[in-house]
Amino acid sequence: MMNLKKQFTLSIAATAVLLLTAGQAHAQSGSRLCGFIAVDTPNKVGLLYEARTKDASYKKQCDEAIGKMKHKIDATPQLKAMTWQEVKRWSCEDVGNKGFVNKGESSDICDKMEAKVGYKVTKAGAASATYAKQ
């Protein structure tokens, strides 16, 4: 009987660890997005980088990401033809609410991204957004 109780306790503990670990895979509090978004047409595009405010180089990371993305926009005729808005340390939800999520979806788009990685986020009409690492 004692062995069954011990196994049950270990099972509960293991489940709790798995749940905590899974929760950490999503965006952490303090995530901010930097880059550019083009949202003036039914098709939305974001060139975005997720930075963490807890990093000592947080502002530098954002500035560098913005610079690289600006260069990419200027060097690509299709991108240059779009109307871009700079995103400088915006919350994940603020960017999501600019047209990158459908009704009923979480506006925290960082849940679909990894920190310190550049992404091209595209959303065509009513389809869900796609996230491509750059």
PDB file of all heavy atoms in Angstrom, residues 74-108:
ATOM      1  N   ASP A  74      14.487  48.145 -47.564  1.00  0.00           N
ATOM      2  CA  ASP A  74      15.012  49.040 -48.599  1.00  0.00           C
ATOM      3  C   ASP A  74      15.623  48.283 -49.778  1.00  0.00           C
ATOM      4  O   ASP A  74      15.628  48.781 -50.895  1.00  0.00           O
ATOM      5  CB  ASP A  74      16.060  49.979 -47.992  1.00  0.00           C
ATOM      6  CG  ASP A  74      15.442  51.020 -47.065  1.00  0.00           C
ATOM      7  OD1 ASP A  74      14.209  51.246 -47.131  1.00  0.00           O
ATOM      8  OD2 ASP A  74      16.184  51.614 -46.258  1.00  0.00           O
ATOM      9  N   ALA A  75      16.133  47.071 -49.533  1.00  0.00           N
ATOM     10  CA  ALA A  75      16.803  46.304 -50.580  1.00  0.00           C
ATOM     11  C   ALA A  75      15.856  45.369 -51.341  1.00  0.00           C
ATOM     12  O   ALA A  75      16.267  44.750 -52.316  1.00  0.00           O
ATOM     13  CB  ALA A  75      17.938  45.479 -49.961  1.00  0.00           C
ATOM     14  N   THR A  76      14.594  45.288 -50.920  1.00  0.00           N
ATOM     15  CA  THR A  76      13.645  44.370 -51.550  1.00  0.00           C
ATOM     16  C   THR A  76      12.484  45.166 -52.144  1.00  0.00           C
ATOM     17  O   THR A  76      11.659  45.699 -51.399  1.00  0.00           O
ATOM     18  CB  THR A  76      13.109  43.363 -50.509  1.00  0.00           C
ATOM     19  OG1 THR A  76      14.217  42.783 -49.812  1.00  0.00           O
ATOM     20  CG2 THR A  76      12.279  42.275 -51.173  1.00  0.00           C
ATOM     21  N   PRO A  77      12.406  45.278 -53.477  1.00  0.00           N
ATOM     22  CA  PRO A  77      11.361  46.104 -54.096  1.00  0.00           C
ATOM     23  C   PRO A  77       9.939  45.788 -53.620  1.00  0.00           C
ATOM     24  O   PRO A  77       9.149  46.695 -53.374  1.00  0.00           O
ATOM     25  CB  PRO A  77      11.528  45.824 -55.590  1.00  0.00           C
ATOM     26  CG  PRO A  77      12.967  45.444 -55.738  1.00  0.00           C
ATOM     27  CD  PRO A  77      13.304  44.696 -54.478  1.00  0.00           C
ATOM     28  N   GLN A  78       9.603  44.516 -53.481  1.00  0.00           N
ATOM     29  CA  GLN A  78       8.254  44.140 -53.045  1.00  0.00           C
ATOM     30  C   GLN A  78       7.982  44.681 -51.632  1.00  0.00           C
ATOM     31  O   GLN A  78       6.884  45.187 -51.352  1.00  0.00           O
ATOM     32  CB  GLN A  78       8.096  42.622 -53.061  1.00  0.00           C
ATOM     33  CG  GLN A  78       6.712  42.159 -52.626  1.00  0.00           C
ATOM     34  CD  GLN A  78       6.626  40.631 -52.549  1.00  0.00           C
ATOM     35  OE1 GLN A  78       7.587  39.922 -52.771  1.00  0.00           O
ATOM     36  NE2 GLN A  78       5.449  40.144 -52.229  1.00  0.00           N
ATOM     37  N   LEU A  79       8.960  44.594 -50.753  1.00  0.00           N
ATOM     38  CA  LEU A  79       8.791  45.112 -49.391  1.00  0.00           C
ATOM     39  C   LEU A  79       8.801  46.638 -49.374  1.00  0.00           C
ATOM     40  O   LEU A  79       8.015  47.268 -48.657  1.00  0.00           O
ATOM     41  CB  LEU A  79       9.880  44.567 -48.464  1.00  0.00           C
ATOM     42  CG  LEU A  79       9.885  43.056 -48.222  1.00  0.00           C
ATOM     43  CD1 LEU A  79      11.066  42.657 -47.351  1.00  0.00           C
ATOM     44  CD2 LEU A  79       8.566  42.605 -47.601  1.00  0.00           C
ATOM     45  N   LYS A  80       9.674  47.214 -50.169  1.00  0.00           N
ATOM     46  CA  LYS A  80       9.788  48.675 -50.196  1.00  0.00           C
ATOM     47  C   LYS A  80       8.495  49.341 -50.668  1.00  0.00           C
ATOM     48  O   LYS A  80       8.182  50.465 -50.272  1.00  0.00           O
ATOM     49  CB  LYS A  80      10.964  49.090 -51.085  1.00  0.00           C
ATOM     50  CG  LYS A  80      11.353  50.533 -50.926  1.00  0.00           C
ATOM     51  CD  LYS A  80      12.648  50.847 -51.637  1.00  0.00           C
ATOM     52  CE  LYS A  80      12.990  52.288 -51.364  1.00  0.00           C
ATOM     53  NZ  LYS A  80      14.333  52.629 -51.783  1.00  0.00           N
ATOM     54  N   ALA A  81       7.726  48.647 -51.486  1.00  0.00           N
ATOM     55  CA  ALA A  81       6.476  49.203 -52.015  1.00  0.00           C
ATOM     56  C   ALA A  81       5.375  49.276 -50.952  1.00  0.00           C
ATOM     57  O   ALA A  81       4.365  49.941 -51.149  1.00  0.00           O
ATOM     58  CB  ALA A  81       5.995  48.363 -53.193  1.00  0.00           C
ATOM     59  N   MET A  82       5.575  48.621 -49.811  1.00  0.00           N
ATOM     60  CA  MET A  82       4.556  48.600 -48.759  1.00  0.00           C
ATOM     61  C   MET A  82       4.740  49.782 -47.807  1.00  0.00           C
ATOM     62  O   MET A  82       5.811  50.380 -47.745  1.00  0.00           O
ATOM     63  CB  MET A  82       4.647  47.284 -47.974  1.00  0.00           C
ATOM     64  CG  MET A  82       4.437  46.053 -48.843  1.00  0.00           C
ATOM     65  SD  MET A  82       4.738  44.510 -47.976  1.00  0.00           S
ATOM     66  CE  MET A  82       3.159  44.321 -47.168  1.00  0.00           C
ATOM     67  N   THR A  83       3.686  50.113 -47.069  1.00  0.00           N
ATOM     68  CA  THR A  83       3.741  51.183 -46.072  1.00  0.00           C
ATOM     69  C   THR A  83       4.052  50.546 -44.719  1.00  0.00           C
ATOM     70  O   THR A  83       3.258  49.751 -44.210  1.00  0.00           O
ATOM     71  CB  THR A  83       2.394  51.931 -46.001  1.00  0.00           C
ATOM     72  OG1 THR A  83       2.104  52.444 -47.315  1.00  0.00           O
ATOM     73  CG2 THR A  83       2.446  53.058 -44.993  1.00  0.00           C
ATOM     74  N   TRP A  84       5.206  50.890 -44.140  1.00  0.00           N
ATOM     75  CA  TRP A  84       5.695  50.271 -42.920  1.00  0.00           C
ATOM     76  C   TRP A  84       5.574  51.200 -41.723  1.00  0.00           C
ATOM     77  O   TRP A  84       5.747  52.408 -41.843  1.00  0.00           O
ATOM     78  CB  TRP A  84       7.155  49.852 -43.090  1.00  0.00           C
ATOM     79  CG  TRP A  84       7.318  48.771 -44.111  1.00  0.00           C
ATOM     80  CD1 TRP A  84       7.619  48.933 -45.436  1.00  0.00           C
ATOM     81  CD2 TRP A  84       7.153  47.376 -43.904  1.00  0.00           C
ATOM     82  NE1 TRP A  84       7.652  47.718 -46.056  1.00  0.00           N
ATOM     83  CE2 TRP A  84       7.378  46.739 -45.141  1.00  0.00           C
ATOM     84  CE3 TRP A  84       6.845  46.590 -42.795  1.00  0.00           C
ATOM     85  CZ2 TRP A  84       7.306  45.354 -45.292  1.00  0.00           C
ATOM     86  CZ3 TRP A  84       6.775  45.209 -42.947  1.00  0.00           C
ATOM     87  CH2 TRP A  84       7.000  44.612 -44.191  1.00  0.00           C
ATOM     88  N   GLN A  85       5.313  50.606 -40.592  1.00  0.00           N
ATOM     89  CA  GLN A  85       5.294  51.321 -39.312  1.00  0.00           C
ATOM     90  C   GLN A  85       6.356  50.677 -38.422  1.00  0.00           C
ATOM     91  O   GLN A  85       6.406  49.453 -38.274  1.00  0.00           O
ATOM     92  CB  GLN A  85       3.916  51.194 -38.668  1.00  0.00           C
ATOM     93  CG  GLN A  85       3.793  51.898 -37.340  1.00  0.00           C
ATOM     94  CD  GLN A  85       2.383  51.773 -36.755  1.00  0.00           C
ATOM     95  OE1 GLN A  85       1.528  51.064 -37.279  1.00  0.00           O
ATOM     96  NE2 GLN A  85       2.156  52.476 -35.670  1.00  0.00           N
ATOM     97  N   GLU A  86       7.217  51.494 -37.830  1.00  0.00           N
ATOM     98  CA  GLU A  86       8.260  50.956 -36.959  1.00  0.00           C
ATOM     99  C   GLU A  86       7.664  50.476 -35.641  1.00  0.00           C
ATOM    100  O   GLU A  86       6.803  51.124 -35.054  1.00  0.00           O
ATOM    101  CB  GLU A  86       9.320  52.026 -36.678  1.00  0.00           C
ATOM    102  CG  GLU A  86      10.490  51.493 -35.872  1.00  0.00           C
ATOM    103  CD  GLU A  86      11.597  52.514 -35.685  1.00  0.00           C
ATOM    104  OE1 GLU A  86      11.971  53.185 -36.672  1.00  0.00           O
ATOM    105  OE2 GLU A  86      12.072  52.646 -34.554  1.00  0.00           O
ATOM    106  N   VAL A  87       8.145  49.326 -35.214  1.00  0.00           N
ATOM    107  CA  VAL A  87       7.749  48.742 -33.930  1.00  0.00           C
ATOM    108  C   VAL A  87       8.988  48.785 -33.048  1.00  0.00           C
ATOM    109  O   VAL A  87       9.971  48.101 -33.316  1.00  0.00           O
ATOM    110  CB  VAL A  87       7.272  47.275 -34.120  1.00  0.00           C
ATOM    111  CG1 VAL A  87       7.030  46.612 -32.777  1.00  0.00           C
ATOM    112  CG2 VAL A  87       6.040  47.223 -34.996  1.00  0.00           C
ATOM    113  N   LYS A  88       8.943  49.615 -32.034  1.00  0.00           N
ATOM    114  CA  LYS A  88      10.107  49.757 -31.169  1.00  0.00           C
ATOM    115  C   LYS A  88       9.714  49.444 -29.730  1.00  0.00           C
ATOM    116  O   LYS A  88       9.113  50.265 -29.049  1.00  0.00           O
ATOM    117  CB  LYS A  88      10.682  51.175 -31.264  1.00  0.00           C
ATOM    118  CG  LYS A  88      12.061  51.296 -30.676  1.00  0.00           C
ATOM    119  CD  LYS A  88      12.731  52.578 -31.123  1.00  0.00           C
ATOM    120  CE  LYS A  88      14.200  52.543 -30.757  1.00  0.00           C
ATOM    121  NZ  LYS A  88      14.900  53.691 -31.326  1.00  0.00           N
ATOM    122  N   ARG A  89       9.983  48.200 -29.342  1.00  0.00           N
ATOM    123  CA  ARG A  89       9.724  47.728 -27.982  1.00  0.00           C
ATOM    124  C   ARG A  89       8.237  47.753 -27.626  1.00  0.00           C
ATOM    125  O   ARG A  89       7.850  48.162 -26.557  1.00  0.00           O
ATOM    126  CB  ARG A  89      10.593  48.493 -26.977  1.00  0.00           C
ATOM    127  CG  ARG A  89      12.085  48.286 -27.246  1.00  0.00           C
ATOM    128  CD  ARG A  89      12.981  48.871 -26.201  1.00  0.00           C
ATOM    129  NE  ARG A  89      13.062  50.311 -26.159  1.00  0.00           N
ATOM    130  CZ  ARG A  89      13.879  51.052 -26.890  1.00  0.00           C
ATOM    131  NH1 ARG A  89      14.688  50.492 -27.769  1.00  0.00           N
ATOM    132  NH2 ARG A  89      13.914  52.353 -26.747  1.00  0.00           N
ATOM    133  N   TRP A  90       7.405  47.280 -28.538  1.00  0.00           N
ATOM    134  CA  TRP A  90       5.963  47.163 -28.296  1.00  0.00           C
ATOM    135  C   TRP A  90       5.686  45.833 -27.602  1.00  0.00           C
ATOM    136  O   TRP A  90       6.416  44.858 -27.778  1.00  0.00           O
ATOM    137  CB  TRP A  90       5.192  47.176 -29.597  1.00  0.00           C
ATOM    138  CG  TRP A  90       5.161  48.475 -30.343  1.00  0.00           C
ATOM    139  CD1 TRP A  90       5.960  49.574 -30.151  1.00  0.00           C
ATOM    140  CD2 TRP A  90       4.310  48.795 -31.432  1.00  0.00           C
ATOM    141  NE1 TRP A  90       5.639  50.553 -31.069  1.00  0.00           N
ATOM    142  CE2 TRP A  90       4.630  50.098 -31.858  1.00  0.00           C
ATOM    143  CE3 TRP A  90       3.318  48.101 -32.089  1.00  0.00           C
ATOM    144  CZ2 TRP A  90       3.973  50.717 -32.912  1.00  0.00           C
ATOM    145  CZ3 TRP A  90       2.670  48.716 -33.145  1.00  0.00           C
ATOM    146  CH2 TRP A  90       2.990  50.023 -33.542  1.00  0.00           C
ATOM    147  N   SER A  91       4.579  45.770 -26.878  1.00  0.00           N
ATOM    148  CA  SER A  91       4.189  44.503 -26.269  1.00  0.00           C
ATOM    149  C   SER A  91       3.722  43.556 -27.371  1.00  0.00           C
ATOM    150  O   SER A  91       3.282  43.974 -28.449  1.00  0.00           O
ATOM    151  CB  SER A  91       3.073  44.708 -25.242  1.00  0.00           C
ATOM    152  OG  SER A  91       1.838  44.919 -25.890  1.00  0.00           O
ATOM    153  N   CYS A  92       3.801  42.269 -27.080  1.00  0.00           N
ATOM    154  CA  CYS A  92       3.378  41.234 -28.031  1.00  0.00           C
ATOM    155  C   CYS A  92       1.901  41.392 -28.374  1.00  0.00           C
ATOM    156  O   CYS A  92       1.494  41.215 -29.519  1.00  0.00           O
ATOM    157  CB  CYS A  92       3.642  39.859 -27.438  1.00  0.00           C
ATOM    158  SG  CYS A  92       5.379  39.609 -26.967  1.00  0.00           S
ATOM    159  N   GLU A  93       1.108  41.741 -27.371  1.00  0.00           N
ATOM    160  CA  GLU A  93      -0.335  41.904 -27.564  1.00  0.00           C
ATOM    161  C   GLU A  93      -0.656  43.124 -28.435  1.00  0.00           C
ATOM    162  O   GLU A  93      -1.568  43.072 -29.261  1.00  0.00           O
ATOM    163  CB  GLU A  93      -1.044  42.041 -26.213  1.00  0.00           C
ATOM    164  CG  GLU A  93      -0.986  40.792 -25.352  1.00  0.00           C
ATOM    165  CD  GLU A  93       0.300  40.660 -24.529  1.00  0.00           C
ATOM    166  OE1 GLU A  93       1.181  41.543 -24.591  1.00  0.00           O
ATOM    167  OE2 GLU A  93       0.439  39.644 -23.834  1.00  0.00           O
ATOM    168  N   ASP A  94       0.090  44.215 -28.244  1.00  0.00           N
ATOM    169  CA  ASP A  94      -0.157  45.411 -29.051  1.00  0.00           C
ATOM    170  C   ASP A  94       0.072  45.130 -30.534  1.00  0.00           C
ATOM    171  O   ASP A  94      -0.698  45.580 -31.386  1.00  0.00           O
ATOM    172  CB  ASP A  94       0.723  46.580 -28.590  1.00  0.00           C
ATOM    173  CG  ASP A  94       0.243  47.207 -27.293  1.00  0.00           C
ATOM    174  OD1 ASP A  94      -0.902  46.929 -26.873  1.00  0.00           O
ATOM    175  OD2 ASP A  94       1.020  47.973 -26.684  1.00  0.00           O
ATOM    176  N   VAL A  95       1.121  44.384 -30.847  1.00  0.00           N
ATOM    177  CA  VAL A  95       1.379  44.035 -32.249  1.00  0.00           C
ATOM    178  C   VAL A  95       0.315  43.060 -32.745  1.00  0.00           C
ATOM    179  O   VAL A  95      -0.231  43.240 -33.831  1.00  0.00           O
ATOM    180  CB  VAL A  95       2.800  43.450 -32.426  1.00  0.00           C
ATOM    181  CG1 VAL A  95       3.013  42.989 -33.860  1.00  0.00           C
ATOM    182  CG2 VAL A  95       3.856  44.485 -32.040  1.00  0.00           C
ATOM    183  N   GLY A  96      -0.016  42.063 -31.955  1.00  0.00           N
ATOM    184  CA  GLY A  96      -1.046  41.090 -32.344  1.00  0.00           C
ATOM    185  C   GLY A  96      -2.361  41.759 -32.680  1.00  0.00           C
ATOM    186  O   GLY A  96      -3.048  41.382 -33.644  1.00  0.00           O
ATOM    187  N   ASN A  97      -2.709  42.776 -31.909  1.00  0.00           N
ATOM    188  CA  ASN A  97      -3.976  43.487 -32.114  1.00  0.00           C
ATOM    189  C   ASN A  97      -3.966  44.423 -33.317  1.00  0.00           C
ATOM    190  O   ASN A  97      -4.984  45.034 -33.630  1.00  0.00           O
ATOM    191  CB  ASN A  97      -4.352  44.261 -30.850  1.00  0.00           C
ATOM    192  CG  ASN A  97      -4.847  43.342 -29.752  1.00  0.00           C
ATOM    193  OD1 ASN A  97      -5.478  42.319 -30.018  1.00  0.00           O
ATOM    194  ND2 ASN A  97      -4.556  43.697 -28.518  1.00  0.00           N
ATOM    195  N   LYS A  98      -2.855  44.515 -34.019  1.00  0.00           N
ATOM    196  CA  LYS A  98      -2.784  45.336 -35.237  1.00  0.00           C
ATOM    197  C   LYS A  98      -3.235  44.558 -36.469  1.00  0.00           C
ATOM    198  O   LYS A  98      -2.998  44.980 -37.592  1.00  0.00           O
ATOM    199  CB  LYS A  98      -1.353  45.862 -35.452  1.00  0.00           C
ATOM    200  CG  LYS A  98      -0.929  46.907 -34.450  1.00  0.00           C
ATOM    201  CD  LYS A  98      -1.656  48.204 -34.697  1.00  0.00           C
ATOM    202  CE  LYS A  98      -1.119  49.310 -33.811  1.00  0.00           C
ATOM    203  NZ  LYS A  98      -1.772  50.579 -34.075  1.00  0.00           N
ATOM    204  N   GLY A  99      -3.896  43.421 -36.252  1.00  0.00           N
ATOM    205  CA  GLY A  99      -4.450  42.664 -37.377  1.00  0.00           C
ATOM    206  C   GLY A  99      -3.808  41.311 -37.600  1.00  0.00           C
ATOM    207  O   GLY A  99      -4.094  40.655 -38.597  1.00  0.00           O
ATOM    208  N   PHE A 100      -2.950  40.865 -36.677  1.00  0.00           N
ATOM    209  CA  PHE A 100      -2.257  39.591 -36.864  1.00  0.00           C
ATOM    210  C   PHE A 100      -2.972  38.408 -36.227  1.00  0.00           C
ATOM    211  O   PHE A 100      -2.522  37.271 -36.352  1.00  0.00           O
ATOM    212  CB  PHE A 100      -0.822  39.688 -36.328  1.00  0.00           C
ATOM    213  CG  PHE A 100       0.046  40.568 -37.183  1.00  0.00           C
ATOM    214  CD1 PHE A 100       0.269  41.888 -36.836  1.00  0.00           C
ATOM    215  CD2 PHE A 100       0.618  40.092 -38.345  1.00  0.00           C
ATOM    216  CE1 PHE A 100       1.051  42.708 -37.629  1.00  0.00           C
ATOM    217  CE2 PHE A 100       1.403  40.896 -39.152  1.00  0.00           C
ATOM    218  CZ  PHE A 100       1.622  42.208 -38.794  1.00  0.00           C
ATOM    219  N   VAL A 101      -4.081  38.662 -35.519  1.00  0.00           N
ATOM    220  CA  VAL A 101      -4.833  37.560 -34.909  1.00  0.00           C
ATOM    221  C   VAL A 101      -6.302  37.662 -35.287  1.00  0.00           C
ATOM    222  O   VAL A 101      -6.821  38.752 -35.533  1.00  0.00           O
ATOM    223  CB  VAL A 101      -4.679  37.544 -33.365  1.00  0.00           C
ATOM    224  CG1 VAL A 101      -3.246  37.266 -32.970  1.00  0.00           C
ATOM    225  CG2 VAL A 101      -5.164  38.817 -32.732  1.00  0.00           C
ATOM    226  N   ASN A 102      -6.952  36.524 -35.336  1.00  0.00           N
ATOM    227  CA  ASN A 102      -8.390  36.472 -35.592  1.00  0.00           C
ATOM    228  C   ASN A 102      -9.144  36.554 -34.271  1.00  0.00           C
ATOM    229  O   ASN A 102      -8.581  36.280 -33.203  1.00  0.00           O
ATOM    230  CB  ASN A 102      -8.754  35.165 -36.306  1.00  0.00           C
ATOM    231  CG  ASN A 102      -8.220  35.128 -37.720  1.00  0.00           C
ATOM    232  OD1 ASN A 102      -8.210  36.135 -38.415  1.00  0.00           O
ATOM    233  ND2 ASN A 102      -7.765  33.959 -38.140  1.00  0.00           N
ATOM    234  N   LYS A 103     -10.408  36.880 -34.357  1.00  0.00           N
ATOM    235  CA  LYS A 103     -11.259  36.940 -33.170  1.00  0.00           C
ATOM    236  C   LYS A 103     -11.215  35.582 -32.472  1.00  0.00           C
ATOM    237  O   LYS A 103     -11.317  34.542 -33.116  1.00  0.00           O
ATOM    238  CB  LYS A 103     -12.690  37.285 -33.580  1.00  0.00           C
ATOM    239  CG  LYS A 103     -13.607  37.549 -32.417  1.00  0.00           C
ATOM    240  CD  LYS A 103     -14.962  38.006 -32.874  1.00  0.00           C
ATOM    241  CE  LYS A 103     -15.835  38.304 -31.666  1.00  0.00           C
ATOM    242  NZ  LYS A 103     -17.078  38.943 -32.037  1.00  0.00           N
ATOM    243  N   GLY A 104     -11.028  35.616 -31.175  1.00  0.00           N
ATOM    244  CA  GLY A 104     -10.956  34.388 -30.391  1.00  0.00           C
ATOM    245  C   GLY A 104      -9.551  33.850 -30.197  1.00  0.00           C
ATOM    246  O   GLY A 104      -9.330  32.977 -29.370  1.00  0.00           O
ATOM    247  N   GLU A 105      -8.587  34.338 -30.974  1.00  0.00           N
ATOM    248  CA  GLU A 105      -7.193  33.922 -30.810  1.00  0.00           C
ATOM    249  C   GLU A 105      -6.512  34.840 -29.796  1.00  0.00           C
ATOM    250  O   GLU A 105      -6.861  36.007 -29.677  1.00  0.00           O
ATOM    251  CB  GLU A 105      -6.421  34.017 -32.134  1.00  0.00           C
ATOM    252  CG  GLU A 105      -6.849  33.032 -33.180  1.00  0.00           C
ATOM    253  CD  GLU A 105      -6.069  33.181 -34.484  1.00  0.00           C
ATOM    254  OE1 GLU A 105      -5.500  34.262 -34.754  1.00  0.00           O
ATOM    255  OE2 GLU A 105      -6.029  32.215 -35.233  1.00  0.00           O
ATOM    256  N   SER A 106      -5.509  34.315 -29.116  1.00  0.00           N
ATOM    257  CA  SER A 106      -4.731  35.131 -28.188  1.00  0.00           C
ATOM    258  C   SER A 106      -3.972  36.201 -28.974  1.00  0.00           C
ATOM    259  O   SER A 106      -3.392  35.926 -30.023  1.00  0.00           O
ATOM    260  CB  SER A 106      -3.725  34.261 -27.433  1.00  0.00           C
ATOM    261  OG  SER A 106      -2.808  35.073 -26.723  1.00  0.00           O
ATOM    262  N   SER A 107      -3.968  37.419 -28.450  1.00  0.00           N
ATOM    263  CA  SER A 107      -3.241  38.492 -29.129  1.00  0.00           C
ATOM    264  C   SER A 107      -1.756  38.466 -28.796  1.00  0.00           C
ATOM    265  O   SER A 107      -0.980  39.227 -29.357  1.00  0.00           O
ATOM    266  CB  SER A 107      -3.842  39.852 -28.761  1.00  0.00           C
ATOM    267  OG  SER A 107      -3.752  40.066 -27.366  1.00  0.00           O
ATOM    268  N   ASP A 108      -1.335  37.582 -27.896  1.00  0.00           N
ATOM    269  CA  ASP A 108       0.077  37.466 -27.525  1.00  0.00           C
ATOM    270  C   ASP A 108       0.792  36.635 -28.589  1.00  0.00           C
ATOM    271  O   ASP A 108       0.961  35.425 -28.450  1.00  0.00           O
ATOM    272  CB  ASP A 108       0.221  36.832 -26.146  1.00  0.00           C
ATOM    273  CG  ASP A 108       1.672  36.822 -25.660  1.00  0.00           C
ATOM    274  OD1 ASP A 108       2.582  37.132 -26.464  1.00  0.00           O
ATOM    275  OD2 ASP A 108       1.894  36.496 -24.484  1.00  0.00           O
TER     276      ASP A 108
END
